[in-house]
Amino acid sequence: MVCVNLTTFSIVARCPQTGDLGVAVSTAIPAVGAINPFARAQVGAIATQAWSNPYLGIDGLNLLAQGLSATEVLEQLLKADADKERRQLSIVDAHGGVAAFTGTQVQPWKGHREGESYVVAGNFLVSDETILAMAETFETMRGSLGERLLVALEAGQAAGGDRRGKVSAALLVVRDEEYPYLDLRVDEHSEPVAELRRIFDIYTTLPYWDDLHPKRTWHQD
């Protein structure tokens, strides 16, 4: 089984107005966007971290697509995982249901917090202030899901973040197509969350923004 030691802070969420689903994440290891965030339009979003197993994201989305709730998916994934106590997993489903798990062998500070249509989680953190700041910011912030996720990530970094340092960050948002609405990554940078903000601001203000998200005009037989 593929496993990667990823100490991380993240948020997974659903927007009740648009149905958008997404993940924002940062860590002290390169290329977090390749291994932590998973999302599928009208299905759900998952963050797999600590001793991360990407198959938890892949299999979790497949289970959500079958109609299982976030809680039911979490139960099935943990039941089949012999290393579950080394995992940290956050799930939100297409209805805004959430579920989360932090194993006993995950590095402290560790923990998660479930809110309305969102979960924040982290491990190897400076303190619980990272999680508290992310939750409070997400709950009070208004705007698109991508903006809210990014502002929450910024708040988590400002509150301490990963106690080993800063290397990579990512933002993944899906809407109503099979490809991501947003898929932005900073794979290695001295200020990854700040760099992610810079890229986000440029990308989302392009004059041809709408053209970046075409609808399918043909159907495969």
Side-chain angles (χ1 to χ4, degrees):
M1 183 176 292
V2 177
C3 299
V4 179
N5 192 359
L6 260 177
T7 52
T8 308
F9 58 102
S10 66
I11 176 169
V12 301
R14 175 184 181 271
C15 175
Q17 282 75 43
T18 64
D20 289 2
L21 296 148
V23 184
V25 56
S26 185
T27 187
I29 291 174
V32 68
I35 203 79
N36 170 284
F38 293 83
R40 190 182 304 171
Q42 302 177 36
V43 172
I46 299 174
T48 168
Q49 58 199 51
W51 197 258
S52 177
N53 178 1
Y55 282 110
L56 295 175
I58 295 167
D59 294 343
L61 288 179
N62 289 336
L63 290 170
L64 288 173
Q66 295 173 23
L68 276 68
S69 69
T71 299
E72 291 169 332
V73 169
L74 181 65
E75 290 174 354
Q76 288 210 21
L77 292 176
L78 295 179
K79 186 183 300 184
D81 188 358
D83 291 318
K84 67 181 181 180
E85 296 303 334
R86 303 167 78 181
R87 316 286 191 209
Q88 192 168 49
L89 194 62
S90 303
I91 305 173
V92 60
D93 62 37
H95 306 288
V98 299
F101 175 78
T102 300
T104 58
Q105 297 177 32
V106 174
Q107 291 290 334
W109 192 92
K110 61 186 178 185
H112 61 264
R113 179 169 175 171
E114 300 178 20
E116 186 175 349
S117 298
Y118 79 89
V119 179
V120 291
N123 60 87
F124 232 126
L125 301 179
V126 172
S127 72
D128 64 343
E129 289 299 319
T130 295
I131 297 304
L132 296 175
M134 293 175 73
E136 180 179 352
T137 299
F138 186 78
E139 289 176 1
T140 57
M141 178 66 186
R142 296 295 176 263
S144 68
L145 181 63
E147 178 69 27
R148 294 176 69 199
L149 290 172
L150 183 50
V151 172
L153 195 69
E154 291 170 327
Q157 184 61 78
D162 191 322
R163 61 186 171 93
R164 300 171 310 151
K166 300 171 282 187
V167 177
S168 67
L171 174 64
L172 174 64
V173 176
V174 294
R175 179 161 286 182
D176 52 11
E177 299 295 330
E178 293 183 44
Y179 63 88
Y181 184 71
L182 285 170
D183 189 0
L184 307 179
R185 304 181 183 187
V186 177
D187 287 340
E188 195 282 326
H189 197 276
S190 60
E191 295 289 342
V193 175
E195 178 67 2
L196 187 64
R197 162 59 71 182
R198 187 186 71 83
I199 296 170
F200 176 87
D201 287 345
I202 293 172
Y203 187 69
T204 56
T205 55
L206 289 171
Y208 46 86
W209 170 249
D210 290 339
D211 294 334
L212 294 173
H213 303 97
K215 305 294 183 181
R216 174 176 282 158
T217 58
W218 57 275
H219 296 278
Q220 187 175 11
D221 294 331

